[in-house]
Every structure is written in structure tokens, then in C-alpha cells.
Amino acid sequence: MKTWTKHEDPTNKYGATFTLGDRNVLLPTGAVISVTRGELFNIPRLMINGLLNQFIMKAMTKNEDLLYAELTVQMQGGVGQTTTVWKDGKRMNKFRTKGFHNFTRRFFSWVFYSGKVQSYFLTWELEGQLPPAEEITTHVKTYGRHFDGGKMVKKADPKKSKALED
């Protein structure tokens, strides 16, 4: 069974990244990357999100279709970002729409879709190597679906997001 590894942020005592698997994995044809990012979580939302993520993270360790996962948390700014890499989109969607992850999406969506929270979501195909985390963050904020306090501000533009592969 895979295990999560915690990486402390040396420049921010209130931040850390958790990884599952090898970030340098060679991505096969058909692999997809999915990124969910929330900013401006207040402390209660950040705590609820963290608690729910504990259950989702546990389910990820048992999923053989997941190639890599990265969860970054920064208390300052109330930021949480989850990056997952899957063998293909069908397998990722099966995980999203079943079990605890589906329960969380249905009953705790208010964590991401209300208040001052800025939410970003994007899934796209990717081959080769996984880009650096900073590039992934820029990519999801540029091309992903964006919600401001639950109101959609921008739809995802997955066609333009393919530019990351070039």
C-alpha cells in the first residue's frame, strides 16, 4: 500500500505539501491530471477541508489507478490545492463519483462554493513528465473553471490548457 509523505515548507511554518507516489513518474498516453484549488478559506473552512481530505487521502492510498497525488496547504491565505494524476479520465471520474469523495462533493460543497472562497478546477490530458507545482498552479488559475464565492466567473478552457503539453 502507498503512503503519504509530508514535506514541510522551510519558508512558511504554516504550510506543507503531502505527496503520494513518485512525482517523476513517466505519464502514459491517456493519463489525466486533475487540480482543485481553493483560496481564502477561513479557519473553520480550512479545518473542515483538512478533516475531509484525511478520509479522501486514505482512499487514495488504496487506488491502483492513481499514479501520483499532491496536496498543498498554506494556513496563511487559506490555500488548499490537490493535484492528482490518473491512468485515464474514466478511472479518475469513477473515484470522484463513488464513495467518500462523492459524499464530500455533495454534502460539503459549501466549503468551496460560498463566502469569499476563490475556487479553481481543471482536468486535462498530459503525457511525459509532470510540470513543477508552480506551473500547475498558474495553469489551473489561467485555464480552469473559476468560482468567486460560489458564483462561476469563468468556464474551463481545456483546449487552451493543452498548451502545457507542448
Side-chain angles (χ1 to χ4, degrees), residues 14-70:
Y14 300 109
T17 297
F18 300 84
T19 59
L20 181 67
D22 181 4
R23 190 175 211 302
N24 296 315
V25 65
L26 186 59
L27 305 178
T29 301
V32 295
I33 177 174
S34 183
V35 182
T36 299
R37 181 177 178 84
E39 299 176 349
L40 302 178
F41 285 128
N42 59 23
I43 296 298
R45 286 178 201 269
L46 203 56
M47 290 172 61
I48 290 168
N49 188 50
L51 178 65
L52 296 171
N53 270 329
Q54 291 296 309
F55 292 103
I56 294 169
M57 288 168 69
K58 185 173 182 170
M60 286 181 184
T61 64
K62 300 172 187 172
N63 193 309
E64 302 213 1
D65 298 321
L66 180 68
L67 299 173
Y68 176 76
E70 186 171 286

Side-chain angles (χ1 to χ4, degrees), residues 2 7 10 28 34-35 52 68 110 115 130 152 155 158 165:
K2 301 179 253 181
H7 309 272
S34 183
V35 182
L52 296 171
Y68 176 76
W110 60 270
L130 195 58
M152 186 185 293
K155 291 183 178 182
E165 296 180 40

